[in-house]
Amino acid sequence: MQLTLCVKRDLHGCIFLNKLLPQLAGHEISVLLSEKYRPAEGGIAALAEMAFLERNLPIDTLFPLIDAAIAAGQKAGEWLTFDALQKKYGFSLSTVTDRPQLAAALEKLHPELVISARFSHIFTPAMLALVKHGIINIHPAALPSFAGLFGPMRTLAEGHDCFTCAVHLVDQGIDSGPLLHVARLPIKPGERLLHQIAEIYPLAIPYLRQAITHLAQGQTLVQVAQERSMRCYRSFPSAAEIATFIADGGRFWDAQPYQQLLLRFQPEQ
């Protein structure tokens, strides 16, 4: 099957690909990376810091150094950079920064199925029409009550005991399509948000393997409509919301577990 994987060009997108790609042997793969950043991130110190930790430091600084080390003969680490993944699995790799670029890429690739995680760009009805089996999105919070942005942070802020990974078909709305699968991850007391987010998206992988097999065999996927009366769409958080989250004990990251994530990309000596 022709599969297009749409992920954000950040640390979590790369971790997700490292865990998903080994499960897709025998399929024709293409990858689209999104570079859609919201200016409001820079206006809130905690979010600017997260952007640095998720994007600037690993993707723009460490990954080029890792790629250079591997090119010089060092053995790749446990996890691979985007470029190293491309070399290992032989897929086409493109970066899209806006909707016209996304539309052009999908028109060219014409995938049978699209899998989206952290992608940020909105798929239009015309894009949906291009994809035979539709677009499957992995949303890192419960639907329909945590539609929109920053679902994991708001899950913590509202005192839930589990994160939710909601797998759904994309329709013409935002996070509104029928649910395909739901998985949950117990919240670890004392562990920070960034490190737990890395574990949410991969919860979808066993279902994705099953769904791809079923579609390839001509079967349909079981869908459950979202309960519209429970829908709550959350937009970009305000500075006040972030301040309240921190004042209530919420924390975005810790140095040691963050370092452990990065070390899994480090080439072997």
Side-chain angles (χ1 to χ4, degrees):
M1 184 182 293
Q2 291 179 300
L3 305 174
T4 294
L5 312 179
C6 295
V7 303
K8 196 170 186 177
R9 185 178 173 271
D10 73 354
L11 179 62
H12 296 306
C14 194
I15 291 172
F16 177 68
L17 287 183
N18 270 276
K19 294 186 176 184
L20 176 61
L21 285 166
Q23 311 299 319
L24 300 181
H27 297 284
E28 185 176 335
I29 307 297
S30 55
V31 174
L32 298 179
L33 304 179
S34 66
E35 284 228 68
K36 180 180 178 181
Y37 306 132
R38 296 172 174 85
E41 291 178 76
I44 301 174
L47 300 187
E49 185 175 57
M50 282 286 279
F52 175 78
L53 296 170
E54 292 176 341
R55 298 197 299 262
N56 305 105
L57 177 57
I59 308 303
D60 298 330
T61 302
L62 294 181
F63 280 16
L65 295 174
I66 291 170
D67 291 335
I70 293 172
Q74 286 189 242
K75 184 178 179 181
E78 176 186 358
W79 288 345
L80 303 179
T81 68
F82 288 118
D83 285 349
L85 286 169
Q86 182 187 23
K87 289 182 174 66
K88 178 174 181 177
Y89 293 101
F91 54 79
S92 66
L93 178 67
S94 304
T95 298
V96 295
T97 59
D98 56 30
R99 197 173 298 175
Q101 285 187 351
L102 174 58
L106 290 177
E107 180 75 36
K108 178 181 178 180
L109 295 168
H110 210 79
E112 295 174 85
L113 178 69
V114 170
I115 296 171
S116 171
R118 291 180 69 79
F119 192 56
S120 299
H121 293 299
I122 301 299
F123 296 97
T124 65
M127 296 176 197
L128 293 173
L130 289 172
V131 186
K132 177 180 179 180
H133 296 301
I135 299 173
I136 295 177
N137 184 54
I138 302 160
H139 185 73
L143 291 174
S145 54
F146 285 93
L149 305 177
F150 281 73
M153 185 199 80
R154 285 160 165 150
T155 298
L156 274 180
E158 295 186 14
H160 296 272
D161 59 2
C162 286
F163 293 109
T164 298
C165 173
V167 184
H168 69 96
L169 280 176
V170 174
D171 63 8
Q172 297 184 24
I174 299 176
D175 298 332
S176 57
L179 291 168
L180 300 172
H181 178 72
V182 174
R184 292 183 174 83
L185 176 72
I187 291 173
K188 301 171 185 177
E191 187 164 339
R192 306 314 189 198
L193 186 62
L194 185 150
H195 326 118
Q196 295 190 80
I197 289 174
E199 300 180 43
I200 297 175
Y201 293 94
L203 293 174
I205 291 175
Y207 172 79
L208 294 174
R209 289 184 60 192
Q210 181 185 69
I212 292 167
T213 298
H214 287 170
L215 291 171
Q217 295 172 347
Q219 302 178 39
T220 57
L221 304 180
V222 176
Q223 306 174 23
V224 177
Q226 294 189 40
E227 178 54 62
R228 301 297 179 182
S229 64
M230 297 177 61
R231 178 174 170 83
C232 181
Y233 179 82
R234 326 290 180 108
S235 60
F236 196 83
S238 66
E241 186 178 1
I242 297 296
T244 299
F245 174 71
I246 294 172
D248 289 342
R251 295 292 182 270
F252 287 98
W253 73 291
D254 274 336
Q256 185 174 4
Y258 178 70
Q259 183 183 42
Q260 291 303 312
L261 283 179
L262 297 185
L263 284 174
R264 298 179 77 171
F265 291 93
Q266 180 175 308
E268 297 181 15
Q269 299 298 323

